[in-house]
Every structure is written in C-alpha cells, then in structure tokens.
Amino acid sequence: MSEDSPAPLHNTADIDRHLHWFSAAMTLRNTLMSDVRTSVSLIGFGFTVAQFFRHLMVTSTGAALELGANMPRNVGLLLIGVGVVSMVASTANYHQGVVQLKGVRFVEVAMKTWSSRSAYLVASAVMLIGVLAFLSILYRF
C-alpha cells in the first residue's frame, strides 16, 4: 500500500462515516457550483443590461433619456458587483467547509486524495470575468 492511498475501512461504522463524509464533500462542492451559476447569471445579466440600454440610448434619444443617462450603467454595475461579491463570499464559505472536512475530526475517514483545486479554479475564473466586465462597463460609459 502506498502512502497516498487511504487506509482500508474494515468495519461498517467506518464505511458509513466515510460515505457521510464523502456526501458532505460533494454537497459542499455542488453548493459552490450552484453559487457559480448564480454569479455567472448576475454578471452576464448585468453586462447585457448595460450594453442593451447603452445601445438603446444611442439609437433613440427621446424615451430612453427619460430613464436617466447613467441608469443602465449603474444597474449593470450593480448586478455585476453583486455577482462578484456573491462569488467571493461563496468561495470563502466553501473554503471554510473544506478546512473543516480536512480537519482532525475527520482524519480517519477523509479521502486523502480529494482535491478542491478545480472548484477554486472555476470560482476564480468567474471572479476574474466579473471584475473585467465591471471595469469594462465602468470605463466605457
């Protein structure tokens, strides 16, 4: 047996605890991925709102100007900002959960090879895209 492979689980109680641990780990990851979907939706909708109304204001001057010249920009920035802040908060919560699942309390049933790098990578990419979209809207108007 290599050092990286987990010790075999011999009794039913250890197997049950391991499966509960694995279920908690997957639930934690699924929660982060649903938060990623929500953040992507907010960021995408914010960018779309800002661009659509900007285009509308350029093509029609009468009714669109009644909304206020900066309203589309501000709404878009607000939605994008909420999406980015939501992603930061969700990633921080995910990290706290990962730290707890890899802590001493679960050391005998935890998967030693379980990695959360891909989840962090996806969350970081969404945050970066959100920040770039925010800056694009902020400096284009």
Side-chain angles (χ1 to χ4, degrees), residues 23-138:
S23 176
M26 292 297 103
T27 300
L28 188 64
R29 184 170 290 172
N30 286 340
T31 301
L32 179 66
M33 291 299 109
S34 67
D35 291 340
V36 164
R37 284 191 303 272
T38 302
S39 294
V40 165
S41 296
L42 284 166
I43 292 166
F45 189 62
F47 191 78
T48 302
V49 163
Q51 293 299 319
F52 174 77
F53 280 108
R54 184 175 141 251
H55 178 70
L56 183 67
M57 286 184 158
V58 168
T59 58
S60 69
T61 56
L65 287 178
E66 291 177 16
L67 296 172
N70 289 327
M71 192 275 305
R73 174 183 174 263
N74 295 341
V75 170
L77 287 174
L78 178 68
L79 289 170
I80 293 169
V82 168
V84 171
V85 169
S86 171
M87 193 72 265
V88 169
S90 298
T91 305
N93 287 337
Y94 176 75
H95 181 70
Q96 287 175 346
V98 167
V99 167
Q100 287 182 359
L101 283 175
K102 290 187 174 187
V104 268
R105 186 169 174 213
F106 300 108
V107 72
E108 63 276 348
V109 293
M111 291 175 57
K112 306 292 187 247
T113 58
W114 185 67
S115 174
S116 53
R117 275 183 251 151
S118 61
Y120 286 123
L121 181 65
V122 169
S124 299
V126 169
M127 284 184 259
L128 178 64
I129 290 168
V131 168
L132 292 175
F134 188 91
L135 294 174
S136 171
I137 299 294
L138 185 65

Side-chain angles (χ1 to χ4, degrees), residues 9 11-23 109:
L9 303 173
N11 60 41
T12 306
D14 284 346
I15 293 171
D16 285 345
R17 287 183 69 211
H18 175 73
L19 290 175
H20 287 295
W21 181 91
F22 186 71
S23 176
V109 293

